[in-house]
Amino acid sequence: MPVYSILGPLEVRVGGVLVEVARPRRRAVLTYLLLHANDRVDVEQLIDALWAEGTPRTARAQIHTAVSALKAALPEELRTGLVSEATGYRLWVGAEDLDLAVFRQRLASARGCPGIGAESEQARRALRSALALWRGPALAGVDAPFVEPARARLEEERFSAYEALADGEMAAGRHAELIPLLTGLLNEYPARESIVRRLALSLYRAGRKTDALAVVRRLRVLLAKEYGLDPEKGIVDLENAMLRGDLALDAREVGSEGRSEGRSEGVRSEGRPDADLRAGAAVASEVAAPEAATGGEKSAPPSPAPPRQAAPLQPTWPRPAQLPPPTAGFVGRDHELTRLARLLTSESDAPRAAAVTGPAGVGKTSLALIWAHEHAGAFPDGQLFVDLHGYDHSEAESPEGVLERFLLALGIPGHQIPPGLPKREDLFRSAMAERRMLLVLDNARDYRQISPLLPGSAHTRTLITSRIRLGSLVADTGALPVPLDVLPLEESVEVLTRIVGAESVAAAPQSARDLARLCGGLPLALRISAVRLLEEPAAGLTGLATELSPEADRLHGLGLLDGGHTVSHALENSCRRLTAAQIRLFRLLCLHPGDSVGAAAAQAMVDQGDLRFTAHVEVRHLLRVLETVHLVDRTAADRYRMHDLVRLYGRGLSGLDDADQTQDSLALQRLLDWYINVAQAAHRVLAPAMPALPMDVRHSLTDNPTPFPDESAALDWFDQEAANLIALTKSAAEHGDHRGVWQLAIALGAYLSRRHRVDALVQTQALGEQAALAEAHHAAAAALANNLGIAHAMRRDPEAAQQPFERAVAAYRDLGDRQRAAQISANLGSLRYDLGMPHEAAAAHSAAIETLREFGDSPALSAVLANLGLTVGDLGRHEQARDLFREAIGVAEACGSDYRAGYARSQLAWTLLRLGEADEGLELSRETLAYALTIGDPLLAGRMHDQIGIAQAMRGAWDEARAAWEEAVATLTGIGSSEADVVRARLRGEPDALPAVGADGKPNVAALPSR
């Protein structure tokens, strides 16, 4: 029995016992590795396979966590087959251990038999044996973008095997016995003409001529009704031959009437070379999803698995891929695309940047994205993209904020990103120095906005779009100017053709040309007019051209920005043709302060009832209509963004009268309440032990008040919405909506802290504290002051951190909340620990513990006990530290805080190693590693891999130590942690990074720094 089975639901069995592979992400990773068994699979390849679009920033870390969890879950005999390599992973699988490999082996065996006829029962047995391996639809129960294409290809192999078996049975004269099999296949594949041909012929030869003709006629009806097609010539000829009673049909050979033209012989799959069915082959690349078909290096499976390399792993550079989807229906621009190709030349004077300039709506972003996607392969280290919102002054991106996002995308942890523009410029250019990347800076306001974002590397290219001619950029940097004008007439007509349809344009070619002229060649105006034709088919091209011709205002609206005109009247013309519901949604979307909006948030603005976490189909339809006219662009499933020109136009429509203003105000209140409800729900999942302040909202979430099943789901939502939440917090602060500001700020605190978004954490918590004080909500102000202190501490700015902590302590004391005051006093102690003042830190922690004990067990007490243990451990009092950590674990377990208990165990394990108790420290580190993998905490998992390596080194098991350290490097590098450098030093054998030999001759780690 194969160990791994994917021809049906994913199963892993050892000795007949089922091994559980929990969690969908782990099942998907294992399945993809099995589809590429014995090949190296790069991390980027896995990311592309698991996230077709909308890749989260934590994708690399999630991959590392899933692989580590798989290794922990697999039995020892399988675990050694899953190995980490320089840029990815490889799963070694024996020829008999994967059902797909066995399936193909048996097909190859059947093909090798001498003919498939009456004498070749051996071939038919091999085919039946191969097909018996299938237990249902391939890859059942696995959910990921790569699954459907892979399943379709595997099903084709199964189908081809059934065809080969049918041919063999027919050649052996077993027509009657074959009818049930072919009937079942036809029910599964009702439009497959090859099945109909074989079934009809078998029925005819079994003496069932009427049934045979009925099968052909059912196919004819199906093809005509569903596809507007007739059966292929072979089917028609067979039908006629059966009607004539042709004696040739009684032959016992399948012959040409039994196979379609070009079908491969024997059991070879259609279109597959013989080599792909070689004995022992694992999984051919055709099974992979198209986007993952490049694969890795191939190698035969070793026996046993190869030993680990002695050299330490090198860090894997993050590979951002931030380009939005290219615009559909792009036409022309051959000259500009050729000009942009100069960016790829190798001459010494080749430009490093290009500036695409032109009026709004002329297609600058479309051109940039088309070129960027076509040449993405020339930039192996990835692509960065930002919309600078250059002409929306209230929302224009600052260079400092953009650099933070770029540095995060490049793998720089948030706590390592310095404040201030000059330092960020330096760090960005250093990070880019050895990378070959493409930057797309879209919608730039001027040279000053983009100058700090230009890398100095000769390997990187930058593509900029702007409405103004960037002469200073060209003069200073030698950037390639690419001016973009309106489309010529024929290409303008082609835009209409691609949207409206060739038949409509061919029916009125002169009217199409007239309309193209009226649109002035502006792509935005052309698309708007085309959608009007789709929504008003009765008017037709002639009617629309006639309507637009005499109206000077409309011609003015379809003019060019550089001629003193705007496209606002063209937008007005389009909006007039929208329904009342569509125009209302458009107006309200323009008020959204963020860069993109989800369908559920859009519904919150237009609805009148309770809030929903998911959008109704009606709202999705409205959004699709707006997308059709390019008033919004879809960026991912149920997410839309709007160009700032369109947004500014829509905002001009808002507030036209008192009723509109009232509607707008109510919509923004509902939007704010929606974000507060959902963000607070996500926050409660991330920080269940934090005190929950009652929400102050007018509308509540009704369809799913607890929409996040686990931390992973909550983090994914925050990753997607963080920019909107921050923008909404700032917008609410500008409008004096204190209620919204402090609630959003509290909801963002835990997420921004986990993601090390220090700048955003400082900004939002400071705004939140001010808003809470304005509302006289002192409990909220105290919580936000504490968060602000934590943010400054993460910046390593003790002076800035101390004041918020002191404000929080004072506020809690004024509220009579001695417990919270003690907790924040402990934070002040941790601040002194970070400042290298361990004695003062220990005193503060001890005082806080004394107070917290009065209130019984709590996560806060556990945390402060652990912090005190860390402090006294650094003072050399390891036995006291051990006792404190054990108490911290007991307290956390008593109050149900698994998270606190897990971290306390990790610190206890480290203390045991310091005390020389390697076996107990190893066991506890393994236990904590299992917990870290279960909750998906890559930082804790990486630390535990490291501790396991140290424990093994203390025991003299250096091979096991190296294996653990390699896992630690892969995991910590995946999240951009600087702790990976320390582990690399261990792999290099640097004495200061390894356990030393004490005076008693035993290894110890007392000299190694704590975490």
Side-chain angles (χ1 to χ4, degrees):
M1 173 182 289
V3 174
Y4 298 105
S5 301
I6 59 175
L7 301 180
L10 171 68
E11 286 188 356
V12 181
R13 291 184 180 272
V14 177
V17 178
L18 185 66
V19 177
E20 182 181 7
V21 181
R23 297 207 174 190
R25 180 66 43 73
R26 298 173 195 171
R27 295 173 65 82
V29 169
L30 177 58
T31 300
Y32 195 80
L33 291 173
L34 288 170
L35 287 170
H36 296 76
N38 305 320
D39 295 343
R40 189 186 71 212
V41 176
D42 290 341
V43 173
E44 294 299 333
Q45 189 178 341
L46 271 169
I47 290 174
D48 290 342
L50 268 60
W51 293 277
E53 57 184 17
T55 305
R57 293 177 180 174
T58 58
R60 186 178 294 274
Q62 291 186 43
I63 295 293
H64 287 306
T65 300
V67 173
S68 297
L70 275 176
K71 293 193 72 170
L74 292 175
E76 184 65 33
E77 57 266 39
L78 300 183
R79 192 177 304 156
T80 56
L82 178 53
V83 297
S84 302
E85 300 196 355
T87 60
Y89 305 95
R90 194 189 302 264
L91 179 59
W92 294 107
V93 177
E96 300 294 326
D97 291 338
L98 175 62
D99 61 353
L100 180 57
V102 176
F103 173 72
R104 288 180 173 154
Q105 277 184 313
R106 293 175 183 177
L107 293 185
S109 174
R111 183 170 55 83
C113 293
I116 301 183
E119 73 281 8
S120 188
E121 174 60 26
Q122 179 184 356
R124 298 197 299 278
R125 279 200 305 269
L127 287 166
R128 285 191 287 265
S129 174
L131 290 165
L133 292 166
W134 286 73
R135 298 167 292 111
L139 316 181
V142 181
D143 183 19
F146 73 87
V147 170
E148 282 305 320
R151 179 182 293 130
R153 291 174 182 274
L154 291 172
E155 291 291 344
E156 281 298 318
E157 292 190 51
R158 172 174 170 258
F159 179 75
S160 296
Y162 270 121
E163 286 188 318
L165 177 61
D167 289 347
E169 297 284 21
M170 291 174 73
R174 297 169 52 84
H175 301 100
E177 295 85 349
L178 187 58
I179 290 170
L181 170 63
L182 292 174
T183 301
L185 282 176
L186 187 59
N187 289 333
E188 192 173 352
Y189 304 100
R192 292 275 186 145
E193 293 172 280
S194 61
I195 301 177
V196 170
R197 185 186 309 109
R198 288 172 171 83
L199 177 57
L201 190 57
S202 295
L203 287 167
Y204 184 87
R205 290 178 175 172
R208 298 168 59 181
K209 178 178 178 180
T210 302
D211 292 336
L213 290 169
V215 167
V216 175
R217 286 166 186 160
R218 279 196 297 271
L219 173 68
R220 187 187 300 278
V221 171
L222 175 66
L223 292 178
K225 181 179 179 181
E226 298 293 333
Y227 308 104
L229 299 174
D230 293 323
E232 66 178 22
K233 184 177 182 298
I235 294 287
V236 175
D237 291 344
L238 176 61
E239 183 181 30
N240 291 333
M242 290 189 296
L243 288 170
R244 294 194 309 268
D246 195 327
L247 295 177
L249 295 182
D250 292 330
R252 290 312 189 208
E253 297 294 334
V254 178
S256 60
E257 73 272 22
R259 289 193 186 92
S260 62
E261 183 178 353
R263 182 171 302 285
S264 54
E265 297 295 328
V267 300
R268 188 172 61 207
S269 300
E270 293 181 284
R272 294 179 56 84
D274 292 349
D276 284 342
L277 293 176
R278 64 191 184 280
V283 183
S285 63
E286 285 91 344
V287 178
E291 62 271 25
T294 53
E297 299 172 2
K298 294 200 171 185
S299 177
S303 181
R308 298 176 183 269
Q309 298 296 316
L313 291 173
Q314 296 300 316
T316 301
W317 288 113
R319 185 184 179 278
Q322 297 183 346
L323 295 177
T327 302
F330 182 83
V331 171
R333 307 300 192 192
D334 293 338
H335 171 73
E336 289 82 5
L337 290 170
T338 301
R339 187 166 173 78
L340 285 173
R342 289 185 56 194
L343 290 175
L344 303 177
T345 60
S346 58
E347 289 83 5
S348 58
D349 61 344
R352 298 182 186 178
V356 180
T357 58
V362 80
K364 301 180 296 295
T365 302
S366 297
L367 174 68
L369 290 177
I370 285 289
W371 188 89
H373 278 283
E374 286 181 354
H375 299 285
F379 304 95
D381 293 321
Q383 316 93 39
L384 295 172
F385 176 91
V386 63
D387 182 353
L388 295 169
H389 297 291
Y391 285 84
D392 191 345
H393 294 290
S394 65
E395 297 181 5
E397 293 278 3
S398 69
E400 188 173 356
V402 173
L403 286 174
E404 182 194 25
R405 286 161 55 186
F406 280 177
L407 289 167
L408 289 168
L410 293 172
I412 308 297
H415 63 276
Q416 293 182 9
I417 298 176
L421 182 59
K423 291 182 179 179
R424 289 185 178 181
E425 283 186 66
D426 292 343
L427 180 58
F428 175 66
R429 292 187 175 119
S430 298
M432 296 289 290
E434 298 302 320
R435 303 184 195 228
R436 187 172 180 83
M437 296 189 69
L438 174 66
L439 269 69
V440 180
L441 308 177
D442 187 38
N443 201 9
R445 181 179 62 229
D446 52 32
Y447 183 37
R448 284 200 310 171
Q449 187 185 27
I450 60 175
S451 178
L453 309 178
L454 299 176
S457 168
H459 309 298
T460 295
R461 296 294 181 264
T462 305
L463 193 53
I464 303 146
T465 73
S466 179
R467 296 180 200 171
I468 67 171
R469 293 186 175 93
L470 296 169
S472 297
L473 170 72
V474 175
D476 287 357
T477 68
L480 179 71
V482 184
L484 205 58
D485 204 346
V486 296
L487 291 171
L489 180 61
E490 296 304 323
E491 291 180 0
S492 298
V493 174
E494 179 63 17
V495 172
L496 295 174
T497 302
R498 293 196 180 186
I499 299 175
V500 178
E503 291 184 4
S504 297
V505 172
Q510 186 56 49
S511 295
R513 294 172 69 85
D514 291 341
L515 181 58
R517 289 192 187 95
L518 291 170
C519 289
L522 197 65
L524 178 59
L526 289 163
R527 291 191 180 101
I528 292 169
S529 299
V531 172
R532 283 196 57 195
L533 293 170
L534 292 177
E535 293 187 344
E536 302 169 42
L541 280 161
T542 302
L544 183 56
T546 302
E547 176 189 341
L548 292 178
S549 294
E551 296 184 8
D553 286 344
R554 283 182 173 76
L555 289 173
H556 179 80
L558 295 175
L560 302 175
L561 284 175
D562 56 2
H565 304 292
T566 69
V567 297
S568 59
H569 287 148
L571 289 167
E572 178 186 359
N573 189 50
S574 177
C575 289
R576 280 181 185 165
R577 304 304 176 183
L578 297 175
T579 65
Q582 293 163 1
I583 192 65
R584 178 169 179 262
L585 175 60
F586 170 62
R587 279 197 322 101
L588 295 177
L589 289 179
C590 293
L591 301 177
H592 190 289
D595 185 56
S596 64
V597 61
Q603 174 160 326
M605 300 184 79
V606 299
D607 253 3
Q608 301 298 324
D610 291 327
L611 304 175
R612 293 175 53 83
F613 182 64
T614 55
H616 284 303
V617 66
E618 294 86 352
V619 172
R620 289 194 173 97
H621 174 72
L622 292 175
L623 286 164
R624 285 198 297 271
V625 172
L626 297 182
E627 180 190 8
T628 303
V629 297
H630 280 258
L631 293 173
V632 298
D633 294 315
R634 191 196 303 250
T635 60
D638 277 349
R639 291 202 71 79
Y640 298 84
R641 66 184 300 164
M642 187 179 293
H643 192 280
D644 57 358
L645 172 70
V646 178
R647 184 187 295 112
L648 287 172
Y649 167 77
R651 287 177 181 172
L653 296 177
S654 300
L656 297 177
D657 53 40
D658 291 342
D660 281 342
Q661 291 180 359
T662 301
Q663 263 195 8
D664 295 349
S665 178
L666 291 173
L668 287 173
Q669 287 295 330
R670 289 177 55 80
L671 179 70
L672 188 63
D673 283 355
W674 186 86
Y675 275 112
I676 291 172
N677 274 275
V678 182
Q680 289 282 10
H683 172 72
R684 287 192 295 272
V685 174
L686 296 185
M690 292 184 66
L693 297 172
M695 284 192 297
D696 181 6
V697 293
R698 298 172 179 82
H699 309 88
S700 299
L701 208 63
T702 57
D703 67 328
N704 192 355
T706 56
F708 303 105
D710 52 33
E711 287 193 353
S712 178
L715 286 169
D716 286 346
W717 184 83
F718 268 125
D719 285 340
Q720 194 172 54
E721 293 285 359
N724 284 339
L725 290 165
I726 294 168
L728 196 60
T729 303
K730 293 177 180 178
S731 175
E734 291 172 1
H735 290 87
D737 190 341
H738 305 308
R739 172 190 71 91
V741 174
W742 73 258
Q743 291 185 97
L744 289 175
I746 281 184
L748 278 164
Y751 165 77
L752 293 175
S753 178
R754 283 204 186 190
R755 289 291 191 246
H756 293 281
R757 297 283 304 277
V758 182
D759 284 357
L761 187 62
V762 169
Q763 292 172 5
T764 56
Q765 304 310 292
L767 289 173
E769 184 187 6
Q770 294 168 13
L773 290 172
E775 290 270 292
H777 200 311
H778 300 295
L784 288 157
N786 178 47
N787 290 348
L788 182 59
I790 292 171
H792 285 301
M794 292 169 67
R795 272 185 170 173
R796 297 294 189 263
D797 189 348
E799 292 183 0
Q802 182 169 339
Q803 293 179 3
F805 281 146
E806 290 174 345
R807 290 199 300 272
V809 171
Y812 279 126
R813 285 175 178 164
D814 289 344
L815 290 167
D817 192 337
R818 295 176 59 248
Q819 183 179 13
R820 303 276 180 248
Q823 291 177 21
I824 315 306
S825 297
N827 287 345
L828 282 166
S830 297
L831 190 64
R832 294 182 174 90
Y833 174 84
D834 290 337
L835 289 170
M837 303 165 60
H839 295 286
E840 292 82 351
H845 288 144
S846 297
I849 288 170
E850 184 177 351
T851 301
L852 290 173
R853 288 191 193 280
E854 299 177 20
F855 300 93
D857 292 337
S858 68
L861 175 60
S862 174
V864 182
L865 285 166
N867 286 339
L868 179 58
L870 188 67
T871 304
V872 300
D874 278 7
L875 292 172
R877 291 148 40 191
H878 301 310
E879 290 82 0
Q880 182 186 358
R882 176 191 58 199
D883 295 342
L884 285 166
F885 287 133
R886 285 175 173 164
E887 184 181 0
I889 293 169
V891 170
E893 290 176 340
C895 60
S897 180
D898 293 339
Y899 184 77
R900 291 293 181 194
Y903 266 86
R905 285 192 189 93
S906 74
Q907 294 162 328
L908 173 59
W910 179 247
T911 300
L912 292 172
L913 296 180
R914 280 185 156 184
L915 288 167
E917 300 175 16
D919 289 342
E920 190 176 351
L922 173 62
E923 185 61 31
L924 190 55
S925 295
R926 284 174 170 165
E927 180 184 335
T928 309
L929 172 62
Y931 169 73
L933 295 173
T934 299
I935 66 171
D937 189 331
L939 177 61
L940 183 58
R943 289 175 173 177
M944 292 305 97
H945 281 305
D946 182 28
Q947 284 186 192
I948 289 169
I950 292 172
Q952 295 287 24
M954 293 176 66
R955 300 168 73 241
W958 289 98
D959 288 343
E960 291 82 353
R962 179 171 294 279
W965 286 331
E966 288 174 350
E967 290 288 348
V969 167
T971 303
L972 294 171
T973 300
I975 59 172
S977 172
S978 59
E979 294 181 23
D981 294 333
V982 178
V983 187
R984 290 189 190 95
R986 306 197 211 287
L987 284 167
R988 290 192 296 268
E990 295 182 12
D992 291 345
L994 296 172
V997 178
D1000 57 0
K1002 296 180 180 180
N1004 68 74
V1005 296
L1008 295 183
S1010 61
R1011 303 185 183 284

